[in-house]
Structure formats: structure tokens, C-alpha cells
Amino acid sequence: MTPALAPSLRALFAYPGYLARDVAEFLRTAVRYYRNRAFRRADLRCLLAYLIRSPDAMCQRYLRPFPRDRVQKIYGETFFSTLDAIAKAVQLTENDVVYDLGCGRGRGVFWLNAMYRCKAIGVEILPEFVIQARIIKKRIGADGVEFIYANVMDLDYRDATVIYLYGTAFTDNAIAELAGRFSTLAPGTRVVTVSYPLTQYAGAAMFALEQTMTGRYLWGNTEIYVHRKL
Ligand SMILES: C[S@@+](CC[C@H](N)C(=O)[O-])C[C@H]1O[C@@H](n2cnc3c(N)ncnc32)[C@H](O)[C@@H]1O
């Protein structure tokens, strides 16, 4: 076998495993959360919109020109059961304004708004994800969600009460820069990070680490850190 064929064959054999995982996750989501009409409508439209387009491939293609030390070129979504555990940990209410930095297709943003009635804002650098999410928002009339097409580094999050940073979405350099930007956050704002504590980047004077928990992610169980802005 030529060396060039080996990775393609490996991918072919791995595919049934990925498919089984995705189907199992879809069924878990449907059983647990599709009773919520607003979420069901948003999520089914979202899944349908990407039926023949892989968000993973779209992400890798779009992010290819970005410098490797600034942007991670991988895609993945937080399982809703993990998002639920995070929402409970921060005691999310309808008065909260939650930002998902690097929101991807926006499934988590729709979920947060539908399940907890909070205002949910997704920030995403890939324009197609934002366009599609806005179409779904309009179709289902989800007034409590917003999708901003921007680099997360360029925004101000003064109005946030909770910020979610998916574990591997950002490089070390990007997290350090972002942590500096968080100096303008209102005291009391919760920032949730996955696999690393923010205090490692922002210094202990800016954030207090309130809670550490474990959540299920694509790559396995991972530490989740809940910080409070001082
Ligand atoms: C791993 S996905 C996370 C999806 C979602 N947050 C979730 O938890 O389900 C990361 C997303 O962050 C986006 N992204 C990466 N760097 C970004 C940046 N600097 N500004 C805005 N979005 C970014 C990518 O395009 C990708 O869609």
C-alpha cells in the first residue's frame, strides 16, 4: 500500500465509529431536550442545514489562512448535557446575558436561550455559520439570541454576566490576549473555561476561581473552571 493511501483508509475505517457516536448523541439530545419546542425547531433546522456540509471541514477550510499561533483550526461542539451542567453551576437565569465565544453553528446559543430563557449571544469568525444561524433565528423568531460576526478579540463584553470559552477553540496566545481584554468585565461576571483555568493567563488579581468540575467533551472527560471577575 502506498503511504499516501494509508490516511484515507484509516479515515474510511474510522467513519462508522464517528457516525455511531453522532447518531447516539443526536438520540440523547432528542430524548432529553427536544420536548422544548423552541430548541427542537432551531436544532433540527440547524442539523438539516449542514446535512451535506461538514462544519468541521468548513471550519478548517476557512481558518486555513489564519496564523497557527492565533487560531485553532479544529471544530467541535459542547454536548448539551455538559452545557446543562455548566448552566446549573453558574445558576443561569433569564436575567443573564451569556456569550459563547467561537459559537460555531450556534446550537449551544439556541439551546441556552430556549432552556434557560437567558439572552444568548454567539460570536463567530466564520461568516457562513453566522449567516445560517441568523436565518434560523429569523425563521423561528428567537428574539433572545444574537449572532455577531467578529473576531472575539475585537469585542467588548461589558454587558456579559457569563462568558463561555470552549476548551480547544483558542491558542495559548489568543487566550492570553483575551484574558487581558476581560479587564473591562463587570465585577461578578462569570467566565467558564475548559481544560485550563483563566487565572493561569489573567493573574489571580483579576479572577477568583469559584468552582472546578468535570464535563464530557468529544475527546473525553475534561476539567471545567468557573471564575468570577473581581
Ligand atoms: C470548537 S468550535 C466551538 C463551538 C461552540 N462554542 C460549542 O461549544 O459548541 C470553535 C469555533 O470558534 C471559532 N473561532 C475560532 N477562533 C475565533 C476567533 N478568534 N473569533 C471568533 N470565532 C473564532 C471557530 O470558527 C469555531 O467555529
Side-chain angles (χ1 to χ4, degrees):
M1 187 196 319
T2 60
L5 267 179
S8 324
L9 276 180
R10 253 202 311 275
L12 192 68
F13 285 121
Y15 183 69
Y18 289 130
L19 190 65
R21 185 201 61 198
D22 289 350
V23 170
E25 190 50 35
F26 171 76
L27 292 176
R28 210 174 283 134
T29 298
V31 168
R32 284 191 189 161
Y33 305 113
Y34 276 11
R35 259 169 295 178
N36 181 304
R37 185 169 181 266
F39 174 61
R40 184 176 68 240
R41 290 179 72 208
D43 203 51
L44 288 176
R45 278 175 193 271
C46 186
L47 293 177
L48 204 62
Y50 293 90
L51 208 53
I52 54 164
R53 302 182 285 173
S54 149
D56 199 338
M58 289 168 72
C59 202
Q60 286 191 26
R61 199 175 330 118
Y62 185 79
L63 296 179
R64 199 172 293 146
F66 287 76
R68 213 166 258 286
D69 64 329
R70 306 295 302 161
V71 174
Q72 296 276 35
K73 301 166 189 207
I74 43 172
Y75 189 78
E77 289 171 353
T78 305
F79 294 127
F80 295 114
S81 52
T82 302
L83 214 47
D84 209 357
I86 293 171
K88 290 195 169 81
V90 299
Q91 297 173 331
L92 209 60
T93 72
E94 58 189 19
N95 298 321
D96 278 304
V97 178
V98 185
Y99 276 85
D100 181 2
L101 301 193
C103 67
R105 293 188 286 183
R107 291 177 74 199
V109 176
F110 284 113
W111 185 91
L112 286 163
N113 171 251
M115 304 302 297
Y116 284 85
R117 302 198 175 282
C118 58
K119 173 141 184 134
I121 303 171
V123 182
E124 176 53 54
I125 203 166
L126 209 150
E128 285 168 86
F129 285 165
V130 175
I131 291 168
Q132 187 58 50
R134 284 178 180 162
I135 291 173
I136 296 170
K137 169 190 153 98
K138 201 167 165 198
R139 290 254 166 86
I140 68 166
D143 294 336
V145 302
E146 196 181 318
F147 292 96
I148 302 175
Y149 166 50
N151 186 328
V152 298
M153 302 299 165
D154 297 338
L155 299 185
D156 188 285
Y157 303 102
R158 257 166 238 261
D159 61 334
T161 60
V162 178
I163 293 178
Y164 177 55
L165 280 174
Y166 183 100
T168 53
F170 304 101
T171 61
D172 257 11
N173 289 346
I175 297 162
E177 185 178 332
L178 209 45
R181 293 203 149 254
F182 287 160
S183 62
T184 59
L185 295 182
T189 306
R190 270 79 45 81
V191 180
V192 181
T193 56
V194 183
S195 71
Y196 55 87
L198 205 54
T199 39
Q200 198 173 301
Y201 297 88
M206 204 193 288
F207 288 100
L209 182 57
E210 266 197 339
Q211 204 176 324
T212 305
M213 55 197 266
T214 305
R216 193 169 64 91
Y217 282 84
L218 277 169
W219 57 89
N221 283 346
T222 308
E223 296 294 284
I224 298 170
Y225 301 87
V226 180
H227 314 76
R228 184 178 288 274
K229 173 79 171 30
L230 296 172

